[in-house]
Amino acid sequence: VRHHSRELFQCHLVISEIPGKQAAPAYMVGLSSFGDQLENSLSSSMQELHLPCRLRRPNLESVFDCLSDAVLISDQDLNILFLNKAALQILQSPTSDSIIGEPMATYIPDIAQLCHPETVALFETPGAEVEMLVNTVDKTQTQVMLTHSGMSKNSELCFVTSFRISEDKQINGDDELRFEAVLQSMLEPAIVATKDMRILFVNQAATLLFGYSEVELLGERVNKLMPDAMAMRHDGIIAAHLSTGRTTVMGKREGHEVQALHKGGEIIPVLLSLSKGVDKTGEVVFTATFRDLRDTQALILAEKSALRTRARFEAVLYSMLEAAVVATKDMHIVLVNNAACSLFGFSSEELIGEKVNKLMPEDMAARHDEVVNEHLTKGKVTITGRQGGREVKARHKDGRSLPLQLSLSRGWDDIGELVFTATFRDLRELKARITAENTVVNAQARFTAVLNSMREPAVVASKDMVIEFVNPAACRLFGYSAEELVGSKVNKLMPEAMSQRHDKIVSEHLTQGVTTVMGKVEGHEVMGMNKDGADMPLILSLSKGCDGGGNVVFTATFRDLREMKLRISAEKSVMTTQARFEAVLNSMLEAAVVADKDMCIMYVNPAGCTLFGYSKEELVGEKVNILMLNTMSQIHDQIVKDHLSTGRVTIMGKRAGHEVTVKHKNGSQIPSMLSLSRSIDEQDEVIFTATFHDQRPKQSRLQAEMRFEAILNSVLEPAVVATQDMRMVFVNNAACSLFGFTREEILGQKVNMLMPKDMSERHDDIIHRHLITGSTTIIGKRQGHQVFAQHKNGQVLPLTLTISKGSDAKGELVFTAFFHIQTQTQ
């Protein structure tokens, strides 16, 4: 039950139906705490449970019959009016007929002591009890803990006396031997002492706690086990108890925190539980049990850690984009995240507590229970723990079938109960994402293939002007190998005078948008420098774009002016300009359309037919407006007319292109990147060439990458992504917090920086062997691997590592590692 302080306590729960003619069934709920907690009373529990207004307070007899403590109700003359079922058991009477009407003194000989002023004052303290003997029907006596109070019943004064059997009963004969055997077998330390506090018995656990042998303790006063300050007070407390019956510690179920003294002088914090009884000779004895609070405090920390782990687990599930369902071993759903509710069409209230069969088609539901039973009884596994998951059919709330990929794992909850966690991926979305990712990879491969096949030298550089790619033609032009150029600054290819100006030009462009060269169709004459140091006159064409990761890159193509005239002359002798032009367009993977100055289509390449859904014959001779949305078509002709008459340019010549939306034959809209150029044909007529790059794959790729990074950043567990040479390319917020580094300090560094020195030296050998032989000791294991990592401040961190292998958008091998902080118990 949850206390108003939000803490959870274990209790005995009794539910009974209240007799009567109610409009609906009425129930009485009784809570009786046990163990170390005495926090709940029946009345407060009824309020906490917010019982419906139609349930009025039941008669007291029904309430008391649900309690585990014995209850006697007597009138103002102390004659018994009522006793509950627990009282009948303690008094060993089969019925109440022989007891009701009898004086209380028949069964509680010391009933007069309950009216003593000190005792009455004691009972005003919540939870206060006194030890007494009660007589049973067969004239034996039982030691009980008792409380007594007055109440009003039908405007008359009556008394309520409740009691429970004391933990120490009267010991005689074989019972004493059994009592000592029980104490000796206890894991908790126990000591039995006489009323003058001489030790009669000590179990083995007590000798271990206090450091004395049994011989050293027997016959000694218990003060030997107390610090001096406590020993001085102890005798006065015992004397007061023996003379007045007053107790401050005795009989309290929750115990009392005190300090004990070890033989070596160490002060030990313990929880003391003290009870009083009589031995076989009738002499008073005291039994004390101790709990070492040093162990208890460690246990509390472990329990809090378990609660935090559960909270993190639930937070991760709720933040997942994939559907997740957690069920007990009998297949009742205990947790379902928002994605699962959305996928199956149920609310969480409709699913929690239901069998998982509710989410299955009927044919699969019948087979499912057999599979689970075989797994639990024989350990047979068909799905659990499979890395790739398994394709299954599920059932939506509306009855339709859902094709899903199921990943199932087995674990334990925070109280050690077996649970199963299932995650689902919609195969329709999964296949669409895979198609988009493949499109991105293919586009990257095509881009590289195009650059490599180009006769013109091409160089790709990052925004800080570091060369990332160079094609064979550029290597031949500048005299370097690709290995000598990749990773170097582009200044390496410039004369010194131009190199000094170059960095300033790039800085102005990136900060202010100033451009002097970029996007010019005719290019820009510059001087380059080959490996030998010789200057080369070149035509530079420069464009700006983004790579697969969304980073700004610059692509430069060069033409050698010394060879340009010779090549142009040779090309004219081989084929006409028109033939070359069409050959280039036909070989392009991007859609291309050529139109005259009146905007009538003269030519369309095969890629253009595929993109727009028309045949070549359907397009040639038509106005280009056929490929435009109505809103764009209305203003297009005016833009062209203004350009032809004034020379004003809004799109033409921009190498980066212009984002437009074009129209397919079936009417659907296609987001594209338009590049437009103007030239003169063989008859000296103006023509326009437009190329279209389909942006749908790019948008899908960007969305997929954004989802991936968003998922990793939302995960509460630390995550790191590294390339095959172990350079870290992504780290989430939780990992930065765990290792104490900022994201800037980690990205680009080797993962060895997060390892202790001894592990770092072994790590490279393990990765090298895996990449060559494919052997693995950690990768893909769901249960993880115990490792030690190193904080920025040098602290060694015990972690559980889970690592998986995959590919990035460029097809490059990457490793993703999740770290789970080990609890003190682990």
Side-chain angles (χ1 to χ4, degrees):
V1 298
R2 191 181 299 280
H3 190 252
H4 65 80
S5 65
R6 310 306 296 166
E7 293 187 56
L8 291 173
F9 298 116
Q10 290 184 313
C11 290
H12 288 298
L13 172 65
V14 182
I15 303 177
S16 65
E17 186 169 357
I18 299 172
K21 297 181 179 180
Q22 295 91 342
Y27 298 91
M28 211 293 299
V29 180
L31 296 175
S32 178
S33 59
F34 69 92
D36 295 332
Q37 310 297 337
L38 288 170
E39 298 291 341
N40 295 290
S41 67
L42 182 62
S43 59
S44 63
S45 297
M46 292 177 68
Q47 295 170 7
E48 295 272 339
L49 289 171
H50 303 292
L51 293 177
C53 293
R54 67 173 184 274
L55 297 185
R56 299 295 180 237
R57 185 182 183 90
N59 59 73
L60 290 177
E61 288 79 0
S62 298
V63 174
F64 291 136
D65 270 341
C66 291
L67 299 180
S68 59
D69 285 357
V71 176
L72 292 177
I73 300 178
S74 58
D75 59 20
Q76 59 188 359
D77 299 322
L78 295 179
N79 294 317
I80 298 174
L81 298 174
F82 169 82
L83 70 162
N84 67 350
K85 294 177 182 178
L88 287 173
Q89 292 177 354
I90 293 176
L91 299 181
Q92 300 179 10
S93 175
T95 64
S96 61
D97 296 337
S98 61
I99 297 176
I100 292 176
E102 290 288 322
M104 289 280 283
T106 304
Y107 299 98
I108 305 176
D110 295 331
I111 188 67
Q113 184 181 335
L114 300 180
C115 300
H116 191 279
E118 284 192 5
T119 308
V120 172
L122 173 64
F123 286 137
E124 292 177 359
T125 303
E129 296 174 315
V130 297
E131 271 190 301
M132 280 195 173
L133 291 173
V134 298
N135 296 330
T136 64
V137 172
D138 59 4
K139 305 306 180 184
T140 61
Q141 288 192 322
T142 301
Q143 192 84 22
V144 299
M145 299 303 298
L146 181 145
T147 185
H148 183 74
S149 62
M151 63 174 283
S152 175
K153 179 172 172 57
N154 299 325
S155 303
E156 295 181 4
L157 179 64
C158 60
F159 297 92
V160 177
T161 306
S162 64
F163 52 89
R164 55 185 172 81
I165 297 177
S166 176
E167 293 177 0
D168 294 287
K169 301 177 182 179
Q170 184 173 350
I171 303 172
N172 52 61
D174 294 337
D175 288 342
E176 183 171 12
L177 295 176
R178 285 196 295 271
F179 177 69
E180 290 186 0
V182 169
L183 290 182
Q184 196 63 259
S185 66
M186 286 172 57
L187 295 177
E188 290 185 341
I191 289 175
V192 179
T194 63
K195 65 180 179 180
D196 57 355
M197 294 295 110
R198 296 284 177 182
I199 298 174
L200 288 175
F201 173 82
V202 59
N203 70 354
Q204 188 176 1
T207 62
L208 294 174
L209 176 65
F210 296 108
Y212 292 98
S213 67
E214 184 178 4
V215 175
E216 291 177 300
L217 289 178
L218 291 179
E220 296 290 332
R221 288 182 61 81
V222 294
N223 304 49
K224 186 172 185 174
L225 305 177
M226 305 174 191
D228 291 340
M230 182 175 176
M232 294 170 62
R233 294 177 54 242
H234 176 263
D235 292 340
I237 295 173
I238 294 297
H241 168 70
L242 293 174
S243 61
T244 67
R246 186 177 61 192
T247 178
T248 55
V249 180
M250 203 171 306
K252 289 191 176 181
R253 289 192 184 179
E254 69 274 17
H256 191 75
E257 289 190 21
V258 298
Q259 290 184 330
L261 182 67
H262 189 269
K263 181 179 180 180
E266 178 188 358
I267 301 297
I268 306 171
V270 296
L271 189 68
L272 167 65
S273 295
L274 186 63
S275 61
K276 187 173 74 170
V278 293
D279 62 13
K280 62 184 179 181
T281 64
E283 292 295 327
V284 173
V285 293
F286 295 90
T287 302
T289 59
F290 305 88
R291 185 183 303 168
D292 192 339
L293 287 180
R294 295 171 298 183
D295 297 334
T296 304
Q297 289 163 357
L299 180 61
I300 291 171
L301 290 175
E303 290 174 347
K304 288 183 178 178
S305 177
L307 290 174
R308 287 195 297 268
T309 300
R310 178 182 176 88
R312 286 198 299 271
F313 172 71
E314 292 185 359
V316 168
L317 284 188
Y318 281 117
S319 66
M320 284 171 59
L321 295 177
E322 290 182 347
V325 175
V326 180
T328 61
K329 66 180 180 181
D330 54 359
M331 294 296 110
H332 283 95
I333 298 171
V334 293
L335 182 66
V336 58
N337 68 354
N338 296 331
C341 294
S342 176
L343 176 64
F344 294 108
F346 292 96
S347 67
S348 60
E349 292 77 12
E350 292 175 300
L351 288 178
I352 290 176
E354 296 289 333
K355 297 272 283 185
V356 294
N357 305 48
K358 188 170 185 174
L359 305 177
M360 304 174 190
E362 291 183 4
D363 56 339
M364 182 177 175
R367 169 73 179 134
H368 176 262
D369 292 339
E370 296 178 12
V371 174
V372 172
N373 185 54
E374 288 178 356
H375 171 69
L376 294 175
T377 57
K378 303 177 182 179
K380 186 176 179 181
V381 174
T382 55
I383 303 177
T384 307
R386 284 192 181 181
Q387 234 180 329
R390 180 172 174 176
E391 291 189 13
V392 297
K393 293 285 187 181
R395 184 175 62 182
H396 192 272
K397 182 178 180 178
D398 59 17
R400 58 190 165 92
S401 179
L402 301 172
L404 303 176
Q405 185 181 54
L406 165 66
S407 295
L408 186 64
S409 63
R410 189 173 102 157
W412 286 264
D413 62 13
D414 50 359
I415 61 173
E417 293 292 332
L418 180 64
V419 293
F420 294 89
T421 301
T423 58
F424 303 90
R425 283 187 287 180
D426 192 331
L427 286 178
R428 297 167 297 181
E429 295 180 1
L430 182 62
K431 290 175 181 178
R433 189 177 77 236
I434 292 173
T435 301
E437 290 173 350
N438 290 338
T439 302
V440 171
V441 172
N442 293 336
Q444 186 70 21
R446 286 198 302 270
F447 175 70
T448 303
V450 168
L451 290 182
N452 279 328
S453 65
M454 284 174 57
R455 296 179 61 189
E456 290 183 342
V459 174
V460 179
S462 63
K463 67 178 181 180
D464 51 1
M465 294 296 112
V466 173
I467 298 172
E468 295 183 344
F469 174 83
V470 57
N471 71 350
C475 293
R476 291 192 296 271
L477 175 64
F478 293 104
Y480 293 96
S481 67
E483 291 74 17
E484 290 176 299
L485 287 178
V486 173
S488 300
K489 297 278 281 186
V490 294
N491 305 52
K492 189 172 185 175
L493 306 177
M494 306 174 190
E496 186 176 352
M498 182 177 177
S499 176
Q500 295 173 356
R501 293 178 53 243
H502 176 265
D503 291 340
K504 182 180 179 182
I505 293 171
V506 172
S507 177
E508 289 178 351
H509 170 70
L510 293 174
T511 56
Q512 304 173 24
V514 176
T515 179
T516 56
V517 181
M518 204 172 305
K520 289 189 176 181
V521 178
E522 67 278 11
H524 192 77
E525 290 190 20
V526 297
M527 292 299 292
M529 183 177 69
N530 65 14
K531 186 175 181 179
D532 297 330
D535 291 347
M536 299 181 297
L538 304 170
I539 295 290
L540 166 66
S541 294
L542 186 64
S543 63
K544 185 170 78 168
C546 293
D547 63 11
N551 300 308
V552 174
V553 292
F554 296 90
T555 302
T557 57
F558 304 91
R559 285 176 287 176
D560 190 340
L561 283 176
R562 297 168 300 178
E563 299 176 0
M564 189 173 176
K565 292 179 181 179
L566 294 175
R567 188 174 73 247
I568 291 174
S569 177
E571 287 172 352
K572 282 183 178 180
S573 65
V574 175
M575 59 187 306
T576 64
T577 304
Q578 182 65 25
R580 290 198 310 274
F581 181 63
E582 290 187 4
V584 170
L585 291 183
N586 281 332
S587 66
M588 288 175 58
L589 295 176
E590 292 183 337
V593 176
V594 180
D596 60 20
K597 64 180 180 180
D598 298 320
M599 294 294 109
C600 289
I601 298 173
M602 300 169 60
Y603 175 81
V604 59
N605 71 348
C609 295
T610 302
L611 178 65
F612 297 109
Y614 293 92
S615 67
K616 184 175 180 180
E617 292 73 22
E618 290 176 304
L619 287 178
V620 173
E622 294 290 332
K623 298 277 281 185
V624 295
N625 305 56
I626 194 175
L627 306 176
M628 303 175 190
L629 301 177
N630 291 335
T631 53
M632 183 176 176
S633 176
Q634 294 171 0
I635 63 172
H636 174 264
D637 293 340
Q638 185 61 42
I639 294 174
V640 173
K641 183 177 179 180
D642 289 347
H643 168 68
L644 293 174
S645 60
T646 65
R648 186 170 61 188
V649 174
T650 56
I651 303 176
M652 204 173 305
K654 289 188 177 181
R655 281 294 180 96
H658 190 77
E659 291 186 5
V660 298
T661 301
V662 295
K663 184 173 68 175
H664 191 271
K665 181 180 179 179
N666 61 16
S668 62
Q669 299 181 9
I670 306 171
S672 301
M673 186 66 73
L674 166 66
S675 296
L676 185 64
S677 62
R678 172 178 149 166
S679 58
I680 306 295
D681 65 9
E682 292 178 338
Q683 288 77 37
D684 292 329
E685 293 290 335
V686 173
I687 59 173
F688 298 89
T689 303
T691 58
F692 301 87
H693 181 70
D694 192 347
Q695 295 294 294
R696 291 173 294 184
K698 179 180 178 181
Q699 292 176 353
S700 298
R701 171 177 56 79
L702 291 176
Q703 291 172 356
E705 291 177 351
M706 289 172 65
R707 284 199 301 271
F708 176 71
E709 292 190 6
I711 289 172
L712 287 186
N713 272 324
S714 69
V715 170
L716 296 181
E717 290 188 342
V720 174
V721 181
T723 59
Q724 67 177 23
D725 61 352
M726 294 295 108
R727 298 280 179 186
M728 290 178 280
V729 295
F730 177 83
V731 57
N732 70 355
N733 298 331
C736 293
S737 176
L738 174 64
F739 295 109
F741 293 93
T742 64
R743 185 173 278 103
E744 291 74 20
E745 291 175 314
I746 289 180
L747 293 181
Q749 298 296 320
K750 298 271 282 184
V751 295
N752 304 57
M753 75 181 292
L754 305 178
M755 306 174 188
K757 185 177 180 181
D758 56 340
M759 182 176 176
S760 175
E761 293 171 355
R762 292 178 54 243
H763 176 264
D764 292 340
D765 291 337
I766 294 172
I767 294 299
H768 181 69
R769 184 167 64 253
H770 168 70
L771 293 175
I772 293 176
T773 67
S775 65
T776 177
T777 56
I778 303 176
I779 297 170
K781 290 190 176 181
R782 284 293 180 91
Q783 68 272 25
H785 191 77
Q786 311 302 317
V787 298
F788 289 92
Q790 183 168 298
H791 192 272
K792 182 179 180 180
N793 62 13
Q795 178 187 357
V796 175
L797 307 171
L799 304 172
T800 297
L801 167 66
T802 304
I803 188 166
S804 61
K805 185 169 72 172
S807 301
D808 64 7
K810 299 179 182 178
E812 296 291 334
L813 181 65
V814 294
F815 296 88
T816 303
F818 287 88
F819 300 90
H820 176 70
I821 303 172
Q822 293 187 9
T823 64
Q824 184 168 345
T825 301
Q826 291 171 328

